[in-house]
């Protein structure tokens, strides 16, 4: 069988060579980064260099970067009642209907204090509804992702930020899918809190960060104990993982100018090829999206079967459905967008990355051409009009 094609970059990315090299070097550092001796200072230096890279990538100062065990912990750390907003401590949480599960879970807010902001049929937050929901007391923390992990849709974060600011609240932006793929600046976004993760940009799994923007000087720790991370997150830092995160961020940001147009062109070519099959629908194609993400379906398609079919053809893709502990559920993102049950059950995601080639896209298109002849055989053609 030819080499496999990996088109599931939004789930996780291959480890960049730069990250691997940085991690191997860090594994040889014996010191604890909190120790004052030479060995400790060397470990600290590696960690602070990584912190500076991530800070530069978001247009802020290194001291505002808090390392965590990953994106889920970073989101949970951000979503804390009691954070000081201009109108007073936040007592409720507003999250968009298409957020990642770690945000929809509400962090440390009680379930009764969490409200869901609706989205339109493209998956974009309804700004008018947000404004209405923010009216009155008590002050709110709003969480809106920069880019959706399933559809790739980019949210109008700066407009959201202005609405939140006018209401005296705070804004958290989950930028885990966007960081390193598009240009981001925490100040231009107007975000008070931003979360990022290493394994979405070629770093190791199990490392993330919460970045503090304007208006927030501190957070309420989840883990208490030592004074690591300026007292914001106790526990000896994962020096090797953080070194890999920094190296991956440096490489991703350095290659961004070249990757943006190249990956966009590959995605467009992929979607052109997929649409050669009658009835193919690319979700959110009318909205601004990440350059690397395609979520599509077709009448009669079952996503689980399609994913297996692609896998047998040597191509790794994913379903638009969520799978946890073997239980497959319909995508909450597509449900929030008002997609039909049939469309949601047939959603397949292909996501590209820095090393994706035109030949790999061609293989994916050819695999879909073959699979569609089998998977869609005998479908009701009148369903094309109802889909």
């Amino acid at each position: 069988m030819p080499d496999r094609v990996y088109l599931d970059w939004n789930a996780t990315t291959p480890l960049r060579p730069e990250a691997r090299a940085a991690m191997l070097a860090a594994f040889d550092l014996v010191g604890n980064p909190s120790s004052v001796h030479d060995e400790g200072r060397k470990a600290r230096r590696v960690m602070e260099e990584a912190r500076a890279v991530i800070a530069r990538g978001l247009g802020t100062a290194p001291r505002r970067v808090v390392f965590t065990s990953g994106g889920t912990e970073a989101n949970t750390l951000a979503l804390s009642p009691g954070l000081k907003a201009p109108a007073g401590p936040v007592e409720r949480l507003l999250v968009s209907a298409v957020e990642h599960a770690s945000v929809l879970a509400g962090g440390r807010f009680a379930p009764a204090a969490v409200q869901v902001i609706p989205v339109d049929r493209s998956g974009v937050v309804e700004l008018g509804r947000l404004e209405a929901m923010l009216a009155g007391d008590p002050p709110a923390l709003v969480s809106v992702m920069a880019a959706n992990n399933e559809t790739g849709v980019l949210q109008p974060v700066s407009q959201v930020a202005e609405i939140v600011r006018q209401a005296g609240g705070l804004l958290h932006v989950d930028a885990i899918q966007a960081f390193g793929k598009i240009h981001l600046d925490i100040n231009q976004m107007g975000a008070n809190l931003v979360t990022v993760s290493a394994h979405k940009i070629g770093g190791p799994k199990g490392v993330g960060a919460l970045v503090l923007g304007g208006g927030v000087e501190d957070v309420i720790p989840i883990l208490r104990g030592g004074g690591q991370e300026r007292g914001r997150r106790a526990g000896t830092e994962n020096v090797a993982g953080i070194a890999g995160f920094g190296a991956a961020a440096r490489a991703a940001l350095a290659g961004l100018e070249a990757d943006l147009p190249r990956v966009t062109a590959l995605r467009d070519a992929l979607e052109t090829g997929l649409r050669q099959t009658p009835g193919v629908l690319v979700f959110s194609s009318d909205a601004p999206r990440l350059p690397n993400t395609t979520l599509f379906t077709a009448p009669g398609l079952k996503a689980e079967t399609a994913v297996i079919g692609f896998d047998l053809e040597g191509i790794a893709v994913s379903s638009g459905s969520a799978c946890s502990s073997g239980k497959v559920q319909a995508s909450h993102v597509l449900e929030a967008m008002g997609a039909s049950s049939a469309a949601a059950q047939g959603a397949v995601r292909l996501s590209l990355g820095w090393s994706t080639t035109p030949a790999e896209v061609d293989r994916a298109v050819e695999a879909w051409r073959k699979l569609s002849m089998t998977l869609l055989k005998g479908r009701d053609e009148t369903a094309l009009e109802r889909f």
Side-chain angles (χ1 to χ4, degrees):
M1 176 180 284
D3 291 339
R4 288 184 60 83
V5 174
Y6 187 74
L7 298 180
D8 199 17
W9 293 68
N10 281 11
T12 195
T13 58
L15 190 66
R16 290 180 184 265
E18 299 92 336
R20 183 186 299 275
M23 293 177 71
L24 289 174
F27 281 131
D28 288 331
L29 297 174
V30 68
N32 185 312
S34 295
S35 299
V36 298
H37 47 58
D38 182 65
E39 289 83 356
R41 293 197 305 273
K42 287 177 179 177
R44 168 66 59 179
R45 188 177 306 119
V46 167
M47 198 170 69
E48 295 308 319
E49 287 172 355
R51 198 188 308 273
V53 172
I54 293 159
R56 284 198 300 272
L58 286 166
T60 191
R63 63 182 176 80
R64 305 188 73 77
V65 176
V66 184
F67 286 118
T68 67
S69 66
T72 293
E73 185 193 337
N75 283 339
T76 304
L77 181 58
L79 304 183
S80 302
L83 288 175
K84 295 179 181 178
V90 297
E91 298 179 31
R92 57 188 176 127
L93 173 66
L94 276 59
V95 301
S96 91
V98 294
E99 296 301 307
H100 186 270
S102 63
V103 171
L104 288 174
R108 289 181 279 177
F109 282 85
V114 181
Q115 297 173 273
V116 177
I117 314 160
V119 297
D120 64 20
R121 294 192 66 83
S122 294
V124 178
V125 169
E126 294 187 1
L127 299 178
R129 292 292 299 276
L130 169 62
E131 193 167 6
M133 293 171 71
L134 283 171
D137 295 327
L141 172 63
V142 175
S143 184
V144 172
M145 61 191 356
N148 187 263
N149 50 303
E150 293 186 28
T151 63
V153 164
L154 303 177
Q155 296 293 347
V157 172
S158 59
Q159 292 175 265
V160 170
E162 179 58 23
I163 292 171
V164 173
R165 188 187 67 79
Q166 292 286 349
L170 295 175
L171 174 64
H172 163 248
V173 175
D174 176 347
I176 289 169
Q177 284 293 345
F179 183 61
K181 297 177 185 176
I182 59 174
H183 295 288
L184 293 176
D185 184 287
I186 196 168
N187 299 302
Q188 291 178 4
M189 286 190 288
N192 304 107
L193 302 150
V194 171
T195 44
V196 293
S197 179
H199 78 105
K200 304 298 186 181
I201 59 170
K205 303 172 184 68
V207 185
L210 170 63
V211 184
L212 308 183
V216 174
E217 293 303 319
D218 229 327
V219 291
I220 302 167
I222 299 172
L223 301 178
R224 300 176 184 274
Q228 294 91 347
E229 298 302 294
R230 296 177 179 265
R232 297 159 175 162
R233 199 272 189 185
T236 301
E237 294 92 344
N238 175 4
V239 176
I242 290 169
F245 191 0
R250 184 181 291 108
L253 295 167
L256 192 55
E257 289 295 338
D259 279 343
L260 270 171
R262 187 187 69 82
V263 175
T264 301
L266 289 176
R267 181 203 64 189
D268 292 348
L270 170 64
E271 293 179 359
T272 297
L274 294 173
R275 286 187 172 113
Q276 291 175 3
T277 299
V280 162
L281 167 68
V282 176
F283 291 100
S284 304
S285 59
D286 57 345
R289 288 180 293 156
L290 288 173
N292 78 317
T293 305
T294 294
L295 183 68
F296 82 98
T297 190
L301 185 65
K302 298 298 181 184
E304 303 96 306
T305 307
V307 170
I308 293 170
F310 273 109
D311 192 41
L312 293 173
E313 291 291 327
I315 301 170
V317 304
S318 66
S319 166
S321 300
C323 181
S324 176
S325 302
K327 183 179 180 181
V328 178
Q329 300 173 326
S331 162
H332 71 278
V333 173
L334 297 181
E335 286 183 347
M337 291 165 53
S340 69
S341 176
Q345 290 174 6
V348 176
R349 184 187 69 188
L350 293 83
S351 47
L352 321 179
W354 65 83
S355 66
T356 305
T357 66
E360 290 177 327
V361 168
D362 290 343
R363 271 189 61 188
V365 170
E366 176 59 21
W368 168 245
R369 186 190 67 79
K370 291 168 56 180
L371 289 169
S372 65
M373 295 174 65
T374 302
L375 299 179
L376 306 181
K377 186 177 180 180
R379 66 181 177 179
D380 181 3
E381 292 299 330
T382 61
L384 295 175
E385 298 178 3
R386 302 193 304 268
F387 198 59

